[in-house]
Structure formats: C-alpha cells, structure tokens
Amino acid sequence: MKKIILRPLIFLIIISCTLESKFGLPNDENINPELIGIWFDGKNHNEYVKIEKSGEKRYKLSLNDSTKLVSYSSKVKGFTILNVITNYKGKNTNSFYGIEFKKDTLKFSEVNNNLRKTDFNSQSELIDFFNENINNQEFFINPVNLIRK
C-alpha cells in the first residue's frame, strides 16, 4: 500500500515501499529521549519531522507541523524498529522503519517489503518474520540520514 502523507517530506513515510501490515509489533518499549526533537534531511530546513513524547510508550510525529502520526519503537534482536500507525478510511495500517542513532544523526531506513512472501495473519507471524529476516543484508533499504535541528 503506497500512500501520500505530505508531499514535501518525500524522504520520510511518504510514497514508501516499506513493509506494512494490519498487525503491529509489541508496544513494549519506553520512550527513547534521543528520538525526541526536530529532524530534517540536511538539505531543506523547511522540511522536517518533529518527534514528541505521547505517553510513556508512544511518540507523536508531526510532519512540517501539519500531518500528525502515532508511532512507537520496538527492539528486535538488538535493532530498533519504528512502528508508524496511519489511519485511512477508518482502517489502521502499521508501517515499519529501522532507526539508528549516531550523535545528532538519525539513520532512518525502510523495512524491505519484498522479503515478505505472504500476508501476516497474526502479530505472531509478523514477529516471526522480523526474527527470521532482520539479519538479512537486504532487510533495511533506502536509508536516509536525518540531522537534529
């Protein structure tokens, strides 16, 4: 499922081919304070994502202060996965991205949807997919480095 959330932020959660599912990963990670802040792609300071705390285990993502999304992070075999929840026509979809911090840089990558062979019928199947594939060199694709503003 491809979606357009906000045209200027095409580098993030926009026309994305990342893995999507009606099931999400477990929401069992506390907020990581390193993720809180304003992040931009380093080229255009007018295009950014603002990440705020929204409870003990959720984030609010604001794309250019207009589009608001809910997300949370999960750890899978030492990798941090950002689970972004979008709602379209009353139906929630979970999109998955790998994130990694290095000083004031946030590496943001799509989870390769092409590795999925069938739709997931349960959260357990989704978790199995992550556990079986996360060490694959092709698992994280299209990385983008975001800089803290």
Side-chain angles (χ1 to χ4, degrees):
M1 174 177 163
K2 292 187 180 189
K3 58 191 161 293
I4 298 174
I5 295 172
L6 187 65
R7 188 178 155 257
L9 283 174
I10 214 156
F11 68 92
L12 178 69
I13 312 172
I14 323 297
I15 301 173
S16 176
C17 293
T18 197
L19 179 70
E20 294 181 340
S21 174
K22 64 181 176 181
F23 302 101
L25 289 171
N27 184 11
D28 55 7
E29 292 274 319
N30 287 328
I31 294 295
N32 182 342
E34 290 182 301
L35 193 53
I36 305 300
I38 298 174
W39 301 89
F40 65 99
D41 72 354
K43 297 173 188 164
N44 185 346
H45 289 266
N46 294 323
E47 297 177 6
Y48 61 89
V49 59
K50 182 178 182 181
I51 302 174
E52 301 172 277
K53 182 178 174 179
S54 179
E56 292 303 311
K57 297 184 181 200
R58 290 195 178 231
Y59 303 96
K60 176 175 71 173
L61 282 74
S62 302
L63 308 177
N64 287 355
D65 280 336
S66 60
T67 301
K68 310 283 189 223
L69 302 170
V70 175
S71 68
Y72 59 89
S73 61
S74 293
K75 290 267 194 221
V76 178
K77 292 189 172 181
F79 294 93
T80 303
I81 306 297
L82 190 65
N83 190 130
V84 178
I85 304 164
T86 56
N87 187 296
Y88 181 70
K89 295 185 178 180
K91 184 176 170 185
N92 282 345
T93 300
N94 296 277
S95 302
F96 305 97
Y97 301 88
I99 55 174
E100 182 181 342
F101 297 100
K102 289 184 182 176
K103 296 189 181 181
D104 283 340
T105 303
L106 174 61
K107 183 178 177 184
F108 191 90
S109 304
E110 295 176 5
V111 171
N112 192 345
N113 187 47
N114 293 329
L115 296 176
R116 175 176 50 179
K117 301 200 181 3
T118 62
D119 286 339
F120 305 113
N121 294 310
S122 66
Q123 184 185 53
S124 178
E125 286 184 12
L126 175 70
I127 293 167
D128 288 346
F129 169 83
F130 272 87
N131 284 323
E132 292 168 9
N133 291 286
I134 201 158
N135 288 316
N136 183 326
Q137 287 182 326
E138 308 277 321
F139 193 76
F140 296 109
I141 58 172
N142 302 326
V144 173
N145 288 322
L146 304 177
I147 311 292
R148 188 182 303 275
K149 193 169 188 178

